[in-house]
Coordinates of all heavy atoms in Angstrom, one line a residue:
R266 N -40.7 -27.3 84.2 CA -40.1 -28.7 84.1 C -40.5 -29.6 85.3 O -40.8 -30.8 85.0 CB -38.6 -28.6 84.0 CG -38.1 -28.1 82.7 CD -36.6 -28.3 82.5 NE -36.2 -27.9 81.1 CZ -35.3 -27.0 80.8 NH1 -34.6 -26.4 81.8 NH2 -35.1 -26.6 79.6
K267 N -40.5 -29.0 86.4 CA -40.9 -29.8 87.6 C -42.4 -30.2 87.5 O -42.8 -31.3 87.8 CB -40.7 -29.1 88.9 CG -39.3 -28.9 89.4 CD -39.3 -28.2 90.7 CE -38.0 -28.0 91.3 NZ -38.0 -27.3 92.6
S268 N -43.2 -29.3 87.0 CA -44.7 -29.5 87.0 C -45.1 -30.4 85.9 O -46.2 -31.0 85.9 CB -45.3 -28.1 86.7 OG -45.1 -27.2 87.8
T269 N -44.2 -30.6 84.8 CA -44.6 -31.4 83.7 C -43.7 -32.6 83.5 O -43.7 -33.3 82.5 CB -44.6 -30.6 82.4 OG1 -43.3 -30.1 82.2 CG2 -45.7 -29.5 82.5
A270 N -42.9 -32.9 84.5 CA -41.9 -34.0 84.4 C -42.6 -35.4 84.1 O -42.0 -36.2 83.4 CB -41.1 -34.1 85.7
H271 N -43.8 -35.5 84.5 CA -44.6 -36.8 84.2 C -45.1 -36.9 82.8 O -45.6 -37.9 82.5 CB -45.7 -36.9 85.2 CG -46.7 -35.8 85.0 ND1 -46.5 -34.5 85.3 CD2 -48.0 -35.9 84.6 CE1 -47.6 -33.8 85.1 NE2 -48.5 -34.6 84.6
L272 N -44.9 -35.9 82.0 CA -45.4 -35.9 80.6 C -44.2 -36.0 79.7 O -43.5 -35.1 79.4 CB -46.2 -34.6 80.3 CG -47.4 -34.3 81.2 CD1 -47.8 -32.8 81.0 CD2 -48.5 -35.3 81.0
P273 N -44.0 -37.2 79.1 CA -42.8 -37.5 78.3 C -42.7 -36.7 77.0 O -41.6 -36.5 76.5 CB -42.9 -39.0 78.1 CG -44.3 -39.4 78.2 CD -44.9 -38.4 79.2
N274 N -43.8 -36.3 76.5 CA -43.8 -35.5 75.2 C -43.8 -34.0 75.4 O -44.0 -33.3 74.4 CB -44.9 -36.0 74.3 CG -46.3 -35.7 74.8 OD1 -46.5 -35.6 76.0 ND2 -47.2 -35.5 73.9
V275 N -43.5 -33.5 76.6 CA -43.6 -32.1 76.8 C -42.1 -31.6 77.1 O -41.4 -32.2 77.9 CB -44.5 -31.8 78.0 CG1 -44.3 -30.3 78.4 CG2 -45.9 -32.1 77.7
E276 N -41.8 -30.6 76.3 CA -40.5 -29.9 76.5 C -40.8 -28.5 77.0 O -41.9 -27.9 76.8 CB -39.8 -29.7 75.2 CG -39.5 -31.0 74.4 CD -39.0 -30.9 73.0 OE1 -38.5 -29.8 72.7 OE2 -39.2 -31.8 72.2
I277 N -39.8 -27.9 77.7 CA -39.9 -26.6 78.2 C -38.8 -25.7 77.6 O -37.6 -26.2 77.4 CB -39.8 -26.5 79.7 CG1 -40.7 -27.6 80.4 CG2 -40.0 -25.1 80.2 CD1 -42.1 -27.4 80.1
D278 N -39.1 -24.5 77.2 CA -38.2 -23.6 76.6 C -38.6 -22.2 77.0 O -39.6 -21.9 77.5 CB -38.2 -23.8 75.1 CG -36.9 -23.3 74.4 OD1 -36.0 -22.8 75.1 OD2 -36.8 -23.3 73.1
S279 N -37.7 -21.2 76.7 CA -38.0 -19.8 76.8 C -37.5 -19.1 75.6 O -36.7 -19.6 74.8 CB -37.3 -19.2 78.1 OG -35.9 -19.2 77.9
Y280 N -38.2 -17.9 75.3 CA -37.9 -17.2 74.1 C -38.2 -15.7 74.2 O -39.2 -15.4 74.9 CB -38.8 -17.8 73.0 CG -38.5 -17.3 71.6 CD1 -37.3 -17.6 70.9 CD2 -39.4 -16.4 70.9 CE1 -37.0 -17.2 69.7 CE2 -39.1 -15.9 69.7 CZ -37.9 -16.3 69.0 OH -37.6 -15.9 67.8
H281 N -37.3 -14.9 73.6 CA -37.4 -13.5 73.6 C -37.6 -13.1 72.2 O -36.6 -13.1 71.4 CB -36.2 -12.8 74.3 CG -36.4 -11.3 74.4 ND1 -36.1 -10.5 73.4 CD2 -36.8 -10.6 75.4 CE1 -36.3 -9.3 73.7 NE2 -36.8 -9.3 75.0
G282 N -38.7 -12.8 71.7 CA -39.0 -12.4 70.4 C -40.4 -12.7 70.0 O -41.3 -13.0 70.8
L283 N -40.6 -12.7 68.7 CA -42.0 -12.9 68.2 C -42.3 -14.4 68.2 O -41.6 -15.3 67.8 CB -42.1 -12.5 66.7 CG -42.3 -11.0 66.4 CD1 -42.3 -10.8 64.9 CD2 -43.6 -10.5 67.0
L284 N -43.5 -14.7 68.8 CA -43.9 -16.1 68.9 C -44.0 -16.7 67.5 O -43.6 -17.9 67.4 CB -45.3 -16.2 69.6 CG -46.0 -17.5 69.7 CD1 -45.1 -18.5 70.4 CD2 -47.4 -17.4 70.3
A285 N -44.4 -16.0 66.5 CA -44.5 -16.5 65.1 C -43.2 -17.0 64.7 O -43.1 -18.1 64.0 CB -45.1 -15.5 64.2
D286 N -42.1 -16.3 65.0 CA -40.8 -16.7 64.6 C -40.4 -18.1 65.2 O -39.8 -18.9 64.6 CB -39.7 -15.7 64.9 CG -39.9 -14.4 64.1 OD1 -40.5 -14.5 62.9 OD2 -39.4 -13.4 64.5
Y287 N -40.7 -18.2 66.5 CA -40.4 -19.4 67.3 C -41.2 -20.6 66.7 O -40.7 -21.7 66.5 CB -40.7 -19.2 68.8 CG -40.3 -20.4 69.6 CD1 -39.0 -20.5 70.1 CD2 -41.2 -21.4 69.9 CE1 -38.6 -21.5 70.9 CE2 -40.8 -22.5 70.6 CZ -39.5 -22.5 71.2 OH -39.1 -23.6 71.9
V288 N -42.5 -20.4 66.4 CA -43.3 -21.4 65.9 C -42.7 -21.9 64.5 O -42.7 -23.1 64.3 CB -44.8 -20.8 65.6 CG1 -45.6 -21.8 64.8 CG2 -45.4 -20.6 67.0
R289 N -42.3 -21.0 63.7 CA -41.8 -21.4 62.4 C -40.5 -22.1 62.6 O -40.2 -23.2 62.0 CB -41.5 -20.1 61.6 CG -41.1 -20.4 60.1 CD -41.0 -19.2 59.3 NE -42.3 -18.6 59.0 CZ -42.7 -17.4 59.6 NH1 -41.9 -16.7 60.3 NH2 -43.9 -16.9 59.3
E290 N -39.6 -21.6 63.5 CA -38.3 -22.3 63.8 C -38.5 -23.7 64.3 O -37.7 -24.6 63.9 CB -37.6 -21.4 64.9 CG -36.3 -22.0 65.4 CD -35.7 -21.1 66.5 OE1 -35.8 -19.9 66.4 OE2 -35.3 -21.8 67.5
K291 N -39.5 -24.0 65.1 CA -39.7 -25.3 65.6 C -40.6 -26.2 64.7 O -40.8 -27.4 65.0 CB -40.4 -25.2 67.0 CG -39.5 -24.6 68.0 CD -38.2 -25.4 68.2 CE -37.3 -24.7 69.3 NZ -36.1 -25.5 69.5
G292 N -41.1 -25.6 63.6 CA -41.9 -26.4 62.7 C -43.3 -26.8 63.3 O -43.8 -27.8 63.0
A293 N -43.8 -26.0 64.2 CA -45.0 -26.3 64.9 C -46.2 -26.1 64.0 O -46.2 -25.2 63.1 CB -45.2 -25.4 66.2
V294 N -47.2 -27.0 64.2 CA -48.4 -26.9 63.4 C -49.5 -26.0 64.1 O -50.5 -25.7 63.4 CB -49.0 -28.3 63.0 CG1 -48.0 -29.1 62.2 CG2 -49.4 -29.0 64.3
A295 N -49.3 -25.8 65.3 CA -50.3 -25.0 66.1 C -49.8 -24.3 67.3 O -48.7 -24.7 67.8 CB -51.4 -26.0 66.6
I296 N -50.5 -23.3 67.8 CA -50.3 -22.6 69.0 C -51.5 -23.0 69.9 O -52.7 -22.9 69.4 CB -50.2 -21.1 68.8 CG1 -49.1 -20.8 67.8 CG2 -50.1 -20.4 70.1 CD1 -49.1 -19.4 67.3
C297 N -51.3 -23.4 71.1 CA -52.4 -23.7 72.0 C -52.5 -22.7 73.1 O -51.5 -22.5 73.8 CB -52.2 -25.1 72.5 SG -53.5 -25.7 73.7

């Protein structure tokens, strides 16, 4: 959060589980 505070369209989160499940949950179109 401190490192990206200057980027208004960046959010920070944490997750314990399959990345694919998180991607689906957030409706993401891509993994970078």
Side-chain angles (χ1 to χ4, degrees):
R266 283 194 178 125
K267 284 182 179 182
S268 301
T269 60
H271 64 290
L272 301 169
N274 64 331
V275 173
E276 303 169 23
I277 311 302
D278 200 1
S279 65
Y280 187 71
H281 184 276
L283 282 177
L284 176 59
D286 292 338
Y287 186 88
V288 168
R289 189 176 292 110
E290 177 186 316
K291 295 298 180 178
V294 299
I296 299 164
C297 178

